[in-house]
Amino acid sequence: MRRSPGGALVAALVVAATAVAVVSGPHPATAAAAEPYTWKNVRIDGGGFVPGIVFNPGEKDLVYARTDIGGAYRWNQSAQSWTPLLDWVGQDDWGHNGVLSIAPDPVATNRVYAAVGMYTNSWDPNNGAILRSTDRGNTWQRTALPFKVGGNMPGRGMGERLAVDPRNNRNVYFAAEGGNGLWRSTDYGASWAKVGNFPNAGNYVQDPNDANGYLNQNQGLTWVTFDPASPAVYVGVADKENPVYRSLDSGATWERIPGQPTGYLAHKGVVQGKYLFIATSDTGGPYDGTAGQVARLDTTTGTWTDISPTPVADRYYGYSGLTVDAQKPGTLMVATQISWFPDAIFFRSTDYGATWTRIWDWNGYPSRTKRYTMDISANPWLDFNGNPTPPEEAPKLGWMNESLAIDPFDSDRLLYGTGATVYGTTQLTNWDRNTTFTIRPFAKGLEETAVQDLASPPTGAPLVSALYDVGGFHHADLDTVPASFHDSPNLGSNTGLDFAELNPQFFVRVGNNAAAPHIGVSNDGGKNWYQGQEPSGVTGGGTVAVGADATAVVWSPAGTGVHYSTTRGSSWTASAGLPAGAKVESDRVDPKTFYAYAAGRFYTSTDGGASFTASAAAMPAEGRVNLKAVPGAAGEVWLAGETGLLRSTDSGRTFTAVGGVTEGINVAFGKAAPGATRPAVFLVGTAGGVTGVFRSDDTGASWVRINDGQHQYGNAGDALAGDPRIWGRVYLGTNGRGILYADRAGGPVSPSPSVSVSPSVSVSPSASASPSASVSPSMTMPTIACTATYRVTGDWGGGFQGEVTVRNIGTVSTKAWKVTWAFTAGQTVTQSWGGTATQAGTAVTVVNAGYNGTLSSGASTTFGFLGGTTGTTNPVPFPITCSATP
């Protein structure tokens, strides 16, 4: 996941914040046409931390989930899946995909609120905001806050920090971090003011000396909860000596609750009947916590009682997730914060915490007895490819279990968040009958992976991914959860991958393991892997590029300089002329050519990565830069950066700016449109003054926007791939919303609007049947014919690249085609794509690939090849013949 000012606010800020406009509709594209697209997630299900799950106590089956970098979701009971609610967040305010808290209104249940912002340090350039919705999150209005919000900061699992007053639902409270205190809205979240008389803004800082600015923030206030039967309001504070405050007069005055337990931070606070329950830990989490307690306040007597499930001497964890059963007074549950070994522990009480039972118990170390079984068949990768030694098991019950929630309408339903998914059961009361219950994933539709790289090869699986946290997957079916993530070797967070364009079975991927291995190699299209060797000094994955025919690999890892391999990763040699940390890319045709970008300069290698030479071309000096070479076009490479989109056709010696594009984030190439000979170009960036995702079918001369205001995905685009087999399909990687794939709304196989049917296909008026049912002699009969056009697209000493365009000029569709010619100057075909080439002597025969044999009338396709030459000439052969099968 991306980890990419405290102090009290001055009096001038104790005023209502200014409301901003609704951000729920598409931005109009003024200079680029728009084309409707259908956007869907490549299914992984989960893959990141879910710190909050909140049932609306006012309406059955209305459930919300929040994530730290991937937005918010609403549960769809009929589909048993989650619906994303913040996909409209754009590049300019990407941090608003970090959701620190979410609060449904228990009175007007269509209302829901969210506190958004990702970081309270400089990583997020924007302040936070409070979002409000009157239609369950389908559309939102946004009120800016005068400070930052940290949905992905330490302590983000505590809460909920937002809460709606059930006695007067106009009143909404927000417990802020960073020393910003308690805030309140009295108009359904439209405007906010600081509660000036709240006495404590918190003081807990995880690491005051953290040089990265991530661990040194004041974690502030931690939760707000109400007693629905009285005017009492309770607030948690990140202050170990003063963890809980209350107001007994609906927020008019505040006091520290007398007699409260001290020494820990209150992660959760829940009211049931006359009791306030709190769960505490010695840190803010979510990754740590070694001590804590569970306590109960009798609000009628003021008496505090330590009801911790385990004596202090036996604990190695604090407590976090806390929930009560609204249908069964006295029933509550709490989760450990955090019990890594051997697993998380959940505790359950049915007598207000007087006694507890555990979800699992020791039965003679290392054996355990369990009240539950795990069924991960819906998301089988959740075993993390593991086979641990007992007492550990795979899959684990969970970790980072900050959110634990019993359905207020159904005592049998429990949902809880982990560091990787949402788990739950619909048989929870079996616990009380000593009968086993089943826990399974409830994560369909909730996609939270942080995507680092994507590859869509011309054969094999349509997509292979590199992801943080869960490594990445071989996606054989985009709509099916893969059985396992990349393994053997497991590289931890994967940072990059590439394949050989002309030998797409060969893949290399790299990752950020704490220690070796940092590299894996595949010979079957990214499905199975073996460990490669690595240069000394490697500390992280960096980027990697595979030569077009797999004879060379260039790797730019963290910790050492750029290296190249001619042995498929079994040995490495330092590259010359290229700075450490450069971003590397391979030419997709010429096996010896590689490209790189570093610190405002472009570099080219023509010797397989052994040495690089800097180009004199002007490059963007900073910001996000991504470069991609064009399949089938030797020497053509494009670069997207903050200055726009640049194109080179001479291996990076010179570049031309692509008109109309004022900022580029990433660029990729996919299958050409029907009738076109050049691949489709996909852009994440700004074209014609509009920021979005675009496609061009004419090499950037014109663009169509293919996303809209409802599909912006915030922090997206550092991973992008076009599909070489399906025209119009693009794969978009996000930092927190997983992988999206998009197809033209008419379907992935729809013909291009620019391809017209041959006039001879239509039946002339005289072709109508005569009274005798005989066919008129003037009817045009079906014809079967195709043409092939040969051209040389690249030439170098001893070799060349060719391309042949096959066009159906008949009146009916083809099922297959064949092209033949004879060389006249000793040329030989050495590689082919888009068709299978064979050569006998001078005679060459090429038959269609499996995906492009079918051509409707007027449609065309291309195949390409690499050739060798023995002389000084390379004449175009003649004739080129084409035959087709209907």
Side-chain angles (χ1 to χ4, degrees), residues 687-768:
V690 178
T691 298
V693 185
F694 299 86
R695 190 191 78 240
S696 174
D697 293 323
D698 53 13
T699 320
S702 62
W703 298 91
V704 292
R705 189 184 183 198
I706 62 175
N707 74 323
D708 54 42
Q710 294 300 318
H711 302 88
Q712 299 199 76
Y713 307 110
N715 192 6
D718 282 324
L720 185 72
D723 193 304
R725 289 172 269 188
I726 298 176
W727 170 53
R729 175 172 290 180
V730 66
Y731 303 96
L732 175 68
T734 73
N735 187 36
R737 265 289 282 125
I739 308 166
L740 284 303
Y741 75 100
D743 285 315
R744 299 168 62 252
V749 296
S750 296
S752 166
S754 64
V755 177
S756 59
V757 179
S758 167
S760 61
V761 172
S762 60
V763 180
S764 68
S766 60
S768 58

Side-chain angles (χ1 to χ4, degrees), residues 441-483:
F442 283 78
K444 183 179 179 182
L446 195 158
E447 298 287 347
E448 207 202 348
T449 50
V451 186
Q452 304 304 299
D453 207 354
L454 297 170
S456 183
T459 60
L463 187 68
V464 183
S465 61
L467 312 175
Y468 264 15
D469 301 323
V470 293
F473 295 87
H474 176 270
H475 302 273
D477 182 342
L478 304 178
D479 300 315
T480 300
V481 177

Side-chain angles (χ1 to χ4, degrees), residues 61 63-64 73-77 80-83 413 442:
D61 294 329
V63 194
Y64 296 92
Y73 293 81
R74 184 184 64 242
W75 179 248
N76 183 327
Q77 179 67 14
Q80 293 288 289
S81 66
W82 296 94
T83 300
R413 179 156 68 163
F442 283 78

Side-chain angles (χ1 to χ4, degrees), residues 31-48:
E35 182 176 345
Y37 257 62
T38 300
W39 290 82
K40 296 174 62 177
N41 270 106
V42 176
R43 277 195 68 189
I44 295 171
D45 292 5

